[in-house]
């Protein structure tokens, strides 16, 4: 792959004697929507936190957005966006206050924050809600806002950890429109999901089982490889032998 935005080799994370992520190796191309799949406990969040510079790998090597995963975690954090599973928008701040706060954390100028706030509120059709407390928003709205905040600074790469968990199908579809728009605008998207219909929307997916990457390819290639009609069947075939489940 030419000039991947993310490239890791034999990356592992151990917690005491337990290997949560076991020697994973893969590349992500610029502009891809990369689906990072795996059953509960497979090690996705642990792997993603290492890739975001939030957790130190036990061993392995790699680069994320041009930065070394072992040595340059602070630089990685500045160059990416991250939406965690329990993303911390502040419930007791308004929609606009959250945008302003994160714009400041990302180091954007006041003018740029204002411009992005207007864009986001318009895009999400949130203009009438700018002064609503985030805690009062329905989950799907919160998640769309959280995504917009994670990409406020237009990072080269954004990591999304189960962004649509528990969200209704219509809002999930709208959320994926936002993902496509970000990708079209030049942001590479790295996303975990439990919904296999969403796996079909990805350029490529990997499937993690018990800390290891067991399959990697386009949804079409994986379905062909496992001679099945849906990504759900690919996933179930691979996850069937999993030892970990939570
Ligand atoms: P989920 O979809 O439920 O978030 P996941 O694939 O993201 O699952 P992880 O959260 O990465 O899985 O967890 C992988 C394994 O590592 C699990 O068995 C978990 O219990 C274990 N684990 C995660 N964090 C720690 C920690 N800080 N200390 C010990 N074990 C941990």
């Amino acid at each position: 792959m030419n000039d991947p935005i993310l490239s890791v080799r034999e990356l592992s994370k151990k917690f005491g004697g337990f290997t949560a992520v076991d020697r994973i190796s893969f590349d992500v191309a610029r502009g891809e929507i990369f689906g990072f799949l795996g059953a509960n406990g497979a090690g996705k969040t642990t792997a993603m936190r290492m890739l975001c510079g939030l957790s130190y790998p036990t061993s392995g090597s790699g680069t994320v957005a041009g930065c070394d995963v072992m040595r340059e975690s602070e630089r990685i954090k500045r160059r990416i966006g991250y939406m965690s599973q329990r993303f911390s928008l502040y419930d007791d701040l308004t929609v606009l206050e959250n945008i302003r706060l994160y714009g400041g954390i990302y180091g954007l100028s006041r003018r740029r924050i204002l411009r992005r706030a207007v864009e986001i509120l318009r895009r999400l059709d949130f203009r009438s809600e700018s002064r609503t407390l985030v805690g009062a928003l329905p989950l799907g709205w919160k998640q769309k806002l959280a995504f917009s905040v994670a990409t406020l600074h237009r990072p080269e790469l954004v990591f999304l950890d189960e962004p649509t968990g528990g969200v209704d199908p219509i809002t999930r579809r709208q959320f994926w429109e936002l993902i496509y728009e970000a990708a079209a605008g030049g942001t590479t998207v790295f996303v975990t999901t439990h919904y296999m219909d969403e796996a079909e929307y990805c350029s490529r997916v990997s499937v993690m089982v018990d800390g290891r990457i067991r399959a990697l390819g386009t949804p079409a290639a994986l379905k062909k490889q496992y001679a099945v009609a849906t990504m759900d069947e690919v996933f179930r075939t691979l996850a069937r032998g999993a030892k970990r489940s939570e």
Side-chain angles (χ1 to χ4, degrees):
M1 186 180 290
N2 261 344
D3 188 29
I5 191 156
L6 184 157
S7 175
V8 292
R9 294 292 174 269
E10 303 277 308
L11 205 65
S12 296
K13 179 78 184 185
K14 290 189 180 173
F15 296 111
F18 176 72
T19 306
V21 174
D22 191 8
R23 290 164 292 148
I24 59 170
S25 300
F26 63 101
D27 295 341
V28 175
R30 283 177 198 276
E32 272 195 306
I33 298 174
F34 189 88
F36 197 58
L37 312 181
N40 285 344
K44 303 177 302 292
T45 299
T46 305
M48 196 180 255
R49 287 176 56 78
M50 288 194 282
L51 299 172
C52 291
L54 294 169
S55 151
Y56 194 73
T58 308
S59 58
S61 63
T63 57
V64 174
C67 308
D68 189 300
V69 283
M70 301 301 269
R71 286 192 298 271
E72 296 181 299
S73 54
E74 289 309 313
R75 268 185 79 205
I76 291 177
K77 281 187 229 162
R78 285 198 297 273
R79 298 184 76 157
I80 59 147
Y82 175 52
M83 179 175 164
S84 72
Q85 244 172 56
R86 287 162 288 277
F87 183 72
S88 50
L89 286 177
Y90 289 88
D91 274 352
D92 52 352
L93 296 182
T94 67
V95 169
L96 190 58
E97 284 166 346
N98 268 281
I99 295 175
R100 280 208 197 112
L101 175 73
Y102 279 96
I105 291 171
Y106 292 136
L108 305 189
S109 68
R110 274 199 191 175
R111 258 180 77 183
R112 183 140 178 244
I113 294 171
L114 195 64
R115 202 176 335 124
R116 290 288 289 129
V118 170
E119 279 170 19
I120 289 167
L121 295 173
R122 188 182 298 146
R123 172 62 187 86
L124 298 181
D125 215 1
F126 265 23
R127 274 170 293 183
S128 55
E129 306 298 335
S130 67
R131 289 177 209 291
T132 303
L133 290 181
V134 161
L137 295 176
L139 177 67
W141 290 40
K142 265 192 202 174
Q143 295 302 84
K144 286 192 281 183
L145 180 63
F147 174 78
S148 305
V149 166
T151 52
L152 193 61
H153 53 317
R154 298 210 186 281
E156 295 172 66
L157 173 60
V158 65
F159 291 89
L160 311 172
D161 196 358
E162 283 180 36
T164 55
V167 171
D168 68 84
I170 293 170
T171 314
R172 285 209 284 129
R173 186 64 236 177
Q174 292 168 348
F175 194 95
W176 273 83
E177 284 167 16
L178 294 175
I179 290 183
Y180 279 123
E181 283 171 23
T187 296
T188 306
V189 179
F190 187 103
V191 57
T192 72
T193 179
H194 278 299
Y195 299 109
M196 288 303 129
D197 57 327
E198 295 186 348
E200 309 267 0
Y201 305 154
C202 297
S203 330
R204 282 191 311 142
V205 300
S206 68
V207 183
M208 202 166 176
V209 181
D210 294 339
R212 302 229 60 192
I213 288 185
R214 288 279 306 279
L216 177 69
T218 63
L222 290 179
K223 284 185 273 186
K224 199 168 162 202
Q225 186 182 338
Y226 289 90
V228 292
T230 62
M231 274 308 295
D232 192 45
E233 290 168 279
V234 171
F235 185 77
R236 278 191 281 142
T237 305
L238 285 162
R240 202 171 288 142
K243 294 188 189 68
R244 292 181 202 164
S245 60
E246 291 185 346

